[in-house]
Amino acid sequence: MDNKLKIFSGRGSGLLAKKIANSLGYELGKVSIKTFSDGELWVKFEENIRGHDVFIIQSTNSPAENILELTLMIDAAVRASAKRVTIVIPYFGYGRQDRKDQPRVPISSRVMIDIFESMGTNRIITMDLHSTQIQGFAKVPFDNLYSRSVIFDAIKDEKLNPDSSVVLAPDMGSVKMSQGYAKNLGMNFAIIDKRRYAPNKTQVSHLIGELNNRDVLIIDDMIDTAGTLVNAAKAAFEKGARSVIAIATHGVLSGEAIKRLEKSQINKIIITDTIEMSNEKRIDKLKIVSVSKVFSEAVNRIHKGESVSALFEFQKGD
């Protein structure tokens, strides 16, 4: 690998970015980011990046300042004559606003893509998009990586008996993913039919599948307010489940999520480090696994001009 690769991070993803860089044998590049007293941001790359292959790592979860910070870093890199600017967004915020589902609303995920492209981004990398159609909004290459290999390892560490275990899809949107996990793990499959009666408000309508005296895995792409997850776990225990392990790529954990999870009967919650977790949210039943090697392999392949799609074959599953 030549010395043209440079990896930088915004303030929202410093820990994961450091792991990615170290996995490749690099140190994170030096960049100064300051917030003035009036709230304005100031960004400066503290090393030469002219003609370099620059990767900027930043998740776009709350606060919205993370998005603006990433945008300013892209512009600074382009104006500093970087040869190519690739943004690595482990968690793509606004990914759930991917369509115009009612009058007078924006397609916010499209707006995010437009902003990053207009700043001069040459390529976008993310993980486990809530809706893969978002890739179609971009005019530049857009790679959606999968956390599946890391999640598989975490599940195997639990040493569950496949014959007495069930993968439970918490809603219709996660059916395909859950079925993929169930097939690859040799486990049974069940599904919950839920009804959404307000934003972030759902209730279980029906549960289809046999859960009695079985270990249940509830797998989703993210845990936000944890309402869907806690309701699904409650329904599973009411159907005789022996234990419930919740698994998700993105631990958004907003609002009352941590309180809900602590009070719930859920035995363990496994998430990845796509979103940096504050100490207040690190409860005992929470386990965080790293996806740094998946991202570092993608960065390495892109830098060398190799195929990224080869990474998808095992990760994507059926």
Side-chain angles (χ1 to χ4, degrees):
M1 188 182 295
D2 60 39
N3 62 2
K4 291 287 188 179
L5 172 64
K6 295 262 185 164
I7 302 173
F8 297 90
S9 173
R11 292 179 293 185
S13 297
L15 295 177
L16 176 57
K18 187 175 181 180
K19 290 178 184 177
I20 294 170
N22 291 348
S23 180
L24 292 167
Y26 284 80
E27 294 291 328
L28 277 180
K30 294 181 175 63
V31 59
S32 294
I33 305 173
K34 299 177 183 177
T35 303
F36 292 123
S37 59
D38 64 352
E40 288 188 7
L41 298 177
W42 180 83
V43 171
K44 180 184 179 183
F45 288 96
E46 297 290 359
E47 52 190 84
N48 179 35
I49 56 175
R50 180 181 295 274
H52 285 68
D53 193 6
V54 172
F55 289 78
I56 302 172
I57 302 170
Q58 175 88 312
S59 283
T60 53
N61 53 289
S62 178
E65 187 175 89
N66 284 336
I67 298 169
L68 183 56
E69 193 173 283
L70 175 59
T71 302
L72 295 178
M73 291 180 73
I74 297 167
D75 188 62
V78 170
R79 293 178 188 277
S81 301
K83 182 178 181 181
R84 179 174 63 178
V85 178
T86 300
I87 58 173
V88 181
I89 308 175
Y91 169 67
F92 188 92
Y94 290 87
R96 285 171 284 183
Q97 300 183 47
D98 60 337
R99 61 196 182 281
K100 192 173 184 295
D101 57 355
Q102 54 184 291
R104 301 176 296 282
V105 298
I107 305 177
S108 301
S109 54
R110 169 65 189 265
V111 174
M112 295 298 108
I113 299 292
D114 287 348
I115 290 172
F116 300 143
E117 286 186 336
S118 67
M119 289 299 101
T121 297
N122 301 110
R123 191 174 192 131
I124 301 169
I125 307 173
T126 190
M127 177 171 276
D128 287 350
L129 276 171
H130 186 72
S131 176
T132 54
Q133 72 182 39
I134 292 171
Q135 291 173 281
F137 295 154
K139 297 181 179 68
V140 298
F142 192 141
D143 302 300
N144 178 37
L145 305 181
Y146 297 88
S147 65
R148 187 174 290 258
S149 59
V150 175
I151 297 298
F152 270 132
D153 288 342
I155 293 172
K156 288 174 184 176
D157 287 344
E158 297 302 314
K159 299 184 178 356
L160 300 174
N161 181 351
D163 293 333
S164 59
S165 300
V166 181
V167 177
L168 174 62
D171 54 37
M172 295 301 294
S174 60
V175 166
K176 186 176 180 181
M177 178 180 64
S178 297
Q179 285 178 327
Y181 274 104
K183 181 178 179 180
N184 282 281
L185 291 165
M187 295 180 178
N188 298 293
F189 173 74
I191 183 173
I192 282 178
D193 176 24
K194 74 174 185 181
R195 296 288 183 262
R196 185 178 300 278
Y197 57 92
N200 292 127
K201 303 283 188 181
T202 61
Q203 63 183 19
V204 173
S205 181
H206 299 94
L207 195 158
I208 304 167
E210 180 56 53
L211 304 185
N212 189 46
N213 201 32
R214 297 190 179 188
D215 297 307
V216 175
L217 296 177
I218 302 176
I219 305 175
D220 212 343
D221 64 319
M222 72 175 69
I223 303 173
D224 187 358
T225 62
T228 293
L229 173 58
V230 169
N231 286 339
K234 182 180 178 183
F237 279 114
E238 288 174 351
K239 289 286 186 177
R242 185 166 53 200
S243 70
V244 171
I245 298 176
I247 302 169
T249 304
H250 310 297
V252 180
L253 303 178
S254 67
E256 299 292 308
I258 292 298
K259 289 183 180 179
R260 288 194 182 108
L261 293 172
E262 274 192 307
K263 291 179 181 178
S264 74
Q265 294 177 271
I266 297 171
N267 302 83
K268 182 179 284 190
I269 305 113
I270 300 173
I271 59 172
T272 77
D273 55 353
T274 57
I275 296 176
E276 209 154 290
M277 199 65 55
S278 63
N279 289 331
E280 302 80 57
K281 293 182 177 181
R282 294 176 181 265
I283 57 178
D284 290 339
K285 62 173 74 175
L286 184 68
K287 178 182 178 181
I288 301 174
V289 294
S290 183
V291 289
S292 57
K293 289 186 178 180
V294 179
F295 280 108
S296 62
E297 181 64 25
V299 169
N300 187 40
R301 286 173 178 267
I302 290 169
H303 177 58
K304 289 182 173 181
E306 297 175 354
S307 171
V308 179
S309 61
L311 279 174
F312 300 160
E313 298 309 313
F314 169 73
Q315 295 180 39
K316 188 167 61 173
D318 295 317

